[in-house]
């Protein structure tokens, strides 16, 4: 009996062990079964995996995209730098053989075909700071080689044709691949503009300016210089003219004397034109009979009012004529006296009838149309020891000051052995002095002379200017 009971107990222990083993196996298989059921319910098994941070990358991998301005490239490090348009911050990405570059139409291009200042759409792998693709932005617009524009730095606007665009705090200004300030731009420069919507995001100087100085000009001071078809200016002592780069026919005239010379002006270079060999005859005069409409028109010749109802005696050469009448558009033009008698018709258009014609560029000089404040002045405080020119006319050695005329003016700083720089300033009409301080000029990197007797110097640098007003 006892042996039989022991057998029963042994069987019970074995059965219990088998049950416990089956329960254990069942509990281990539940997650697996749930995972299998989840796939059938549309739940991804991937969502139950732990995120290790490891990303398998390929040639087309990216996790970020941006529309930005291409601002710099480091060929040695093989990196490119962009400006984010929303935050105004720069960031740098690496490039390699997997990076793909495209033009606006999706065709492959080289990096040399994408210029600094271009607006681009990019994709990149932020975790590795690697550029995946860069394409000229399909949403951007470009105006190239613009000669006729109006740039108002005070209002932050640019008028191109009938449209007006806004400059932003992130707008990039570039000249010869280097960043410059908006004050470095000059109305004589030919520019290219890029933007999105009504905002201009980059301005690039396509054709810049140089400087022209006259030598042996003592017999022609007070006369006129004509450079090409667009620039006419009275000759003053020690003048330094800012001229768009290019080849020109220069006409010098004074009291019937003068002549024509050819000159080549290079960007950021100073060219000296010797006019000592031009003819200087005895003064000759001619009689000019004016016909004006309306009869109330006031006529000024070289800044002095004349009686246009009687013949006027003028010396041979070029003269500036200004005509104005209340209710009519003023006219400024140039007349050339080259014979004993001549006639000149002056007809003013009523205000609102037609737009005024574009006049040749001319340096502002005191005249009937100028508002002159005798006791308010513009001061150039820094850098010290520089020759200062206002619209090409020498005014002194800095620190110096000159009489205040409202409007847009060009200040040029020059010193032997240093790079000549020009700045476009907007002078207000407020009854108070205004002061400007500019960055120090940089020493010449190189210099050269050409065979026509012109002395040239080259160079460019990044500078900033500041303006302070006060009583």
């Amino acid at each position: 009996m006892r042996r039989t009971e022991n057998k029963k107990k042994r069987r019970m222990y074995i059965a219990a062990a088998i049950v416990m083993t089956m329960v254990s196996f069942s509990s281990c298989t539940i997650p697996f079964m749930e995972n299998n059921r989840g796939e059938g319910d549309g739940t991804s098994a991937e969502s139950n995996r732990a995120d290790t941070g490891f990303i398998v990358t390929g040639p087309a991998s990216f996790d970020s995209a941006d529309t930005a301005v291409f601002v710099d490239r480091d060929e040695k490090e093989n990196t490119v730098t962009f400006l984010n348009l929303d935050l105004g911050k720069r960031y740098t990405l690496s490039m390699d053989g997997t990076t793909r570059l495209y033009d606006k139409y999706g065709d492959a291009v080289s990096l040399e075909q994408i210029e600094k200042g271009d607006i681009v759409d990019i994709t990149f792998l932020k975790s590795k700071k690697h550029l995946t693709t860069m394409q000229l932005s399909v949403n951007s617009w470009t105006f190239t080689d613009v000669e006729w524009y109006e740039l108002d730095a005070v209002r932050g606007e640019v008028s191109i044709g009938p449209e007006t665009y806004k400059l932003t705090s992130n707008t990039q200004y570039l000249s010869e691949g280097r960043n410059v300030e908006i004050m470095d731009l000059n109305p004589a420069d030919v520019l290219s503009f890029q933007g999105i919507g009504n905002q201009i995001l980059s301005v690039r100087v396509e054709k810049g300016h140089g400087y022209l100085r006259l030598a042996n000009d003592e017999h022609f001071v007070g006369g006129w210089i004509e450079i090409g078809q667009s620039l006419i200016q009275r000759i003053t002592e020690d003048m330094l003219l800012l001229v768009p780069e290019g080849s020109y026919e220069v006409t010098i005239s004074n009291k019937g004397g003068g002549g024509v010379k050819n000159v080549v002006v290079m960007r950021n270079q100073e060219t000296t034109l010797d006019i000592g060999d031009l003819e200087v005859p005895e003064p000759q005069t001619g009689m000019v009979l004016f016909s004006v409409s309306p009869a109330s028109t006031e006529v000024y010749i070289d800044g002095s009012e004349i009686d246009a109802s009687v013949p006027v005696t003028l010396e041979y050469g070029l003269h500036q004529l200004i005509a104005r009448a209340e209710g009519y558009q003023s006219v400024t033009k140039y007349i050339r006296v080259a014979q004993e008698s001549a006639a000149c018709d002056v007809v003013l258009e009523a205000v609102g009838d037609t737009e005024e014609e574009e006049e040749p560029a001319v340096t502002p000089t005191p005249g009937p149309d100028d508002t002159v404040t005798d006791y308010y002045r513009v001061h150039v405080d820094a850098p010290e020891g520089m020759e200062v020119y206002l619209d090409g006319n020498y005014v002194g050695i800095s620190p110096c000051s000159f009489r205040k005329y409202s409007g847009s003016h060009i200040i040029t700083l020059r010193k032997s052995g240093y790079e000549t720089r020009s700045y476009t300033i907007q002078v207000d009409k407020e009854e108070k002095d205004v002061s400007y301080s500019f960055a120090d000029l940089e020493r010449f990197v190189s210099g050269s002379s050409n065979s026509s007797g012109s002395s040239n110097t080259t160079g460019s640098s990044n500078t900033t200017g500041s303006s302070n007003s006060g009583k």
Side-chain angles (χ1 to χ4, degrees):
M1 288 291 294
R2 188 174 297 172
R3 185 177 298 173
T4 301
E5 290 179 357
N6 289 338
K7 288 182 178 179
K8 289 182 178 180
K9 289 181 180 180
R10 193 177 298 116
R11 291 173 181 167
M12 291 178 63
Y13 291 148
I14 293 173
I18 293 172
V19 171
M20 292 298 294
T21 300
M22 292 179 64
V23 171
S24 176
F25 274 113
S26 297
S27 63
C28 289
T29 59
I30 288 174
F32 175 77
M33 296 296 291
E34 287 180 350
N35 274 344
N36 287 339
R37 287 196 299 271
E39 290 180 2
D41 295 337
T43 303
S44 173
E46 188 74 19
S47 61
N48 292 317
R49 295 178 183 175
D51 185 4
T52 64
F54 178 76
I55 300 175
V56 178
T57 62
S61 299
F62 67 91
D63 56 20
S64 302
D66 194 12
T67 295
V69 177
F70 175 45
V71 295
D72 202 4
R73 175 192 180 188
D74 189 326
E75 295 185 17
K76 183 177 181 181
E77 298 295 330
N78 207 21
T79 60
V80 286
T81 301
F82 302 95
L83 174 70
N84 176 271
L85 300 178
D86 294 326
L87 302 177
K89 292 185 177 180
R90 298 188 177 201
Y91 57 95
T92 300
L93 303 174
S94 64
M95 293 181 60
D96 58 26
T98 66
T99 302
R100 298 291 178 259
L101 308 176
Y102 305 98
D103 64 12
K104 185 174 289 190
Y105 307 101
D107 295 326
V109 296
S110 65
L111 186 58
E112 287 70 24
Q113 292 174 273
I114 301 179
E115 300 182 77
K116 293 181 181 179
D118 282 344
I119 303 172
V120 292
D121 297 324
I122 62 173
T123 62
F124 57 98
L125 199 58
K126 187 176 182 180
S127 58
K128 295 183 176 295
K129 294 184 178 181
H130 177 263
L131 179 65
T132 304
T133 65
M134 175 166 59
Q135 178 178 7
L136 294 175
S137 179
V138 296
N139 297 316
S140 66
W141 49 259
T142 302
F143 295 133
T144 60
D145 298 324
V146 181
E147 297 184 40
W148 304 106
Y149 57 86
E150 184 176 344
L151 192 155
D152 190 327
V154 176
R155 299 178 61 180
E157 294 179 346
V158 178
S159 296
I160 305 173
E163 302 296 331
T164 299
Y165 300 89
K166 287 287 186 182
L167 299 169
T168 75
S169 58
N170 294 327
T171 300
Q172 301 294 295
Y173 307 94
L174 300 113
S175 177
E176 298 183 300
R178 290 186 286 181
N179 285 91
V180 297
E181 302 293 329
I182 189 171
M183 293 179 70
D184 292 302
L185 303 181
N186 185 273
D189 297 337
V190 176
L191 307 178
S192 288
F193 301 89
Q194 290 193 45
I196 296 177
N198 73 329
Q199 292 187 337
I200 293 176
L201 301 176
S202 72
V203 181
R204 189 160 49 224
V205 178
E206 300 294 346
K207 186 177 179 182
H209 58 268
Y211 304 92
L212 180 64
R213 179 183 295 280
L214 298 180
N216 299 314
D217 59 348
E218 57 272 12
H219 296 295
F220 298 95
V221 172
W224 294 88
I225 178 173
E226 301 174 69
I227 304 175
Q229 302 296 318
S230 60
L231 195 151
I232 303 175
Q233 187 159 330
R234 186 179 291 278
I235 299 173
T236 60
E237 293 184 7
D238 299 321
M239 69 190 309
L240 182 67
L241 298 177
L242 187 148
V243 182
E245 61 177 308
S247 301
Y248 296 95
E249 189 175 79
V250 178
T251 302
I252 305 292
S253 61
N254 186 34
K255 299 179 180 179
V260 178
K261 287 207 164 189
N262 295 314
V263 69
V264 177
V265 177
M266 306 291 287
R267 186 187 296 199
N268 299 324
Q269 295 185 12
E270 182 178 314
T271 300
T272 300
L273 180 62
D274 191 335
I275 61 174
D277 58 343
L278 297 182
E279 183 181 5
V280 187
E282 292 295 323
Q284 294 179 271
T285 60
M287 300 292 292
V288 181
L289 180 62
F290 292 92
S291 173
V292 299
S293 177
S296 60
T297 300
E298 299 174 351
V299 179
Y300 298 82
I301 299 294
D302 298 334
S304 300
E305 186 174 6
I306 64 167
D307 183 358
S309 64
V310 299
V312 178
T313 301
L314 298 175
E315 291 182 339
Y316 276 23
L318 197 67
H319 299 272
Q320 183 189 57
L321 180 149
I322 297 175
R324 66 181 186 180
E326 186 174 353
Y328 292 82
Q329 296 178 7
S330 298
V331 170
T332 300
K333 64 179 183 178
Y334 298 87
I335 59 174
R336 186 182 301 278
V337 179
Q339 56 190 30
E340 293 182 358
S341 62
C344 180
D345 294 330
V346 180
V347 179
L348 304 188
E349 299 286 347
V351 173
D353 283 357
T354 59
E355 295 184 1
E356 291 188 62
E357 294 183 0
E358 190 73 32
E359 297 293 339
V362 62
T363 294
T365 53
D369 286 343
D370 290 322
T371 301
V372 180
T373 53
D374 291 331
Y375 47 90
Y376 295 112
R377 307 185 70 81
V378 175
H379 300 266
V380 178
D381 297 330
E384 297 184 1
M386 303 291 135
E387 300 172 16
V388 179
Y389 299 82
L390 174 66
D391 299 321
N393 298 308
Y394 177 77
V395 294
I397 301 295
S398 59
C400 63
S401 64
F402 47 87
R403 195 160 50 184
K404 183 179 181 181
Y405 299 90
S406 63
S408 178
H409 299 282
I410 299 171
I411 290 180
T412 301
L413 305 179
R414 180 188 183 277
K415 184 176 181 179
S416 180
Y418 291 79
E419 299 171 348
T420 301
R421 297 305 304 274
S422 293
Y423 304 93
T424 302
I425 64 171
Q426 298 288 334
V427 180
D428 57 46
K429 296 182 179 180
E430 296 184 32
E431 295 183 348
K432 59 184 179 182
D433 288 359
V434 61
S435 298
Y436 287 89
S437 293
F438 303 96
D440 292 338
L441 299 185
E442 294 187 3
R443 289 187 177 275
F444 286 132
V445 175
S446 62
S448 62
S449 298
N450 61 30
S451 59
S452 64
S454 301
S455 175
N456 299 326
T457 54
T458 61
S460 178
S461 62
N462 295 338
T463 61
T464 57
S466 60
S467 168
N468 300 299
S469 300
K471 286 284 187 184

